[in-house]
Amino acid sequence: MTTPEHQPSDPEPSGPATPAESAEPAGSAGPTGSFPSSEGSKGTEGSGATQVSADRVHRSNPGIAGGVLMIGVTGWMCVDAMISGGGRAPWLALAVLLFIVPLVVAYTLLPAVHAGEDRLRVRNPFRTVELPWGRIASLRSGYSSEVVTDDGTTYQLWALPVSLRARKRAARQEMRAAGERAHGVDVRAAGRTPGVGDAFRRGGATAPRAGGAERPERAPTDRAMDELRELHEKRRGERSAQGEVTVRWAYEIMAPTLAGAILLAVLLAVG
């Protein structure tokens, strides 16, 4: 993202510029073709620091909503059992809380895909993988979203689940829009969802899509994968986008889960 240059309010006097005036200040940063992000680029104008764009983050909103709901219900039941339960009930509730909550967090709240200018950071339930764009061979989306490295290793993108229902809905919308474009019907102006039958009942001009270009309807996950492929093609050859693939395991998730499983097994074994 580029920032407009500051223009002085008073016109400059005409005449030959001195060397001090004509030379650009050292260290000034010019416009950069950085990848746009949802948070925008941050930098100080005239400070000489390179402007760095924030990563574009992809998450599963339905997964986050479901995870928050499950944590709330599980926490309420377990805390109530620990406070008002008798016998082994408080210990069983504690074991279930330690075992269930980290798993829910790992599979619903934790997954995310951070797309930066130099690398792709994939945060899955039990590990975080950083892949430089130069090491990525392909990004594919069949029944699941996956990234394949140049050595053939495949990593799933848990934050971008594939929804066949969303794909079918997008395909139906595209068929309706295609019928509308073919017969020159504008039913969006009437505040209704376009249908193929409208193309045969009315005439009019086709409403342009967002951005002024007519692009096919795509499911949200497929649109996100298209953005990642576009960024991959743009940045894969850059020198800063090279390096090694790194993997970090989420021990902060595995440790409480293992502790809860052991405690639960001991309590069930002793009867």
Side-chain angles (χ1 to χ4, degrees), residues 66-68 70-71 74 99-110:
V68 170
M70 291 180 64
I71 290 175
T74 304
F99 180 69
I100 295 296
V101 171
L103 290 179
V104 174
V105 171
Y107 283 97
T108 60
L109 305 183
L110 194 63

Side-chain angles (χ1 to χ4, degrees), residues 113 115 120 122 131 133 136-142 144-149 155 157 160 224-233:
V113 175
L120 181 71
V122 180
L131 305 104
W133 291 115
I136 296 176
S138 64
L139 290 145
R140 60 194 185 192
S141 180
S144 63
S145 301
E146 299 172 340
V147 55
V148 184
T149 62
Y155 300 99
L157 306 180
L160 295 174
M225 292 297 291
D226 291 341
E227 293 176 4
L228 294 180
R229 293 189 188 100
E230 180 181 354
L231 183 57
H232 173 235
E233 291 297 326

Side-chain angles (χ1 to χ4, degrees), residues 32-247:
T32 57
S34 59
F35 182 71
S37 66
S38 57
E39 300 178 8
S41 58
K42 298 179 180 180
T44 304
E45 185 177 358
S47 62
T50 303
Q51 295 183 353
V52 180
S53 297
D55 292 352
R56 176 169 294 181
V57 183
H58 298 279
R59 298 176 184 271
S60 174
N61 293 329
I64 293 175
V68 170
L69 180 62
M70 291 180 64
I71 290 175
V73 173
T74 304
W76 173 71
M77 295 177 64
C78 291
V79 171
D80 181 70
M82 285 188 292
I83 294 175
S84 60
R88 294 186 309 146
W91 291 101
L92 285 172
L94 177 61
V96 171
L97 193 65
L98 287 175
F99 180 69
I100 295 296
V101 171
L103 290 179
V104 174
V105 171
Y107 283 97
T108 60
L109 305 183
L110 194 63
V113 175
H114 297 256
E117 288 196 347
D118 296 331
R119 62 193 63 246
L120 181 71
R121 183 157 60 95
V122 180
R123 195 168 65 189
N124 283 340
F126 295 108
R127 63 180 177 180
T128 300
V129 185
E130 290 195 3
L131 305 104
W133 291 115
R135 296 295 307 273
I136 296 176
S138 64
L139 290 145
R140 60 194 185 192
S141 180
Y143 292 103
S144 63
S145 301
E146 299 172 340
V147 55
V148 184
T149 62
D150 52 4
D151 59 359
T153 306
T154 301
Y155 300 99
Q156 276 194 322
L157 306 180
W158 284 80
L160 295 174
V162 173
S163 173
L164 299 180
R165 182 179 179 182
R167 282 182 175 175
K168 291 179 181 179
R169 183 168 59 249
R172 289 194 299 267
Q173 292 176 356
E174 178 59 27
M175 290 178 61
R176 292 172 181 172
E180 178 188 355
R181 292 194 298 269
H183 295 82
V185 176
D186 183 9
V187 295
R188 291 186 178 90
R192 299 190 292 109
T193 302
V196 176
D198 294 305
F200 299 94
R201 291 192 294 267
R202 319 176 36 179
T206 305
R209 301 273 181 94
E214 295 189 1
R215 289 172 288 183
E217 295 286 347
R218 300 278 283 169
T221 298
D222 294 332
R223 289 200 301 268
M225 292 297 291
D226 291 341
E227 293 176 4
L228 294 180
R229 293 189 188 100
E230 180 181 354
L231 183 57
H232 173 235
E233 291 297 326
K234 186 187 302 182
R235 300 292 301 173
R236 62 186 301 181
E238 299 294 331
R239 180 177 300 180
S240 59
Q242 311 302 318
E244 297 296 327
V245 177
T246 59
V247 179

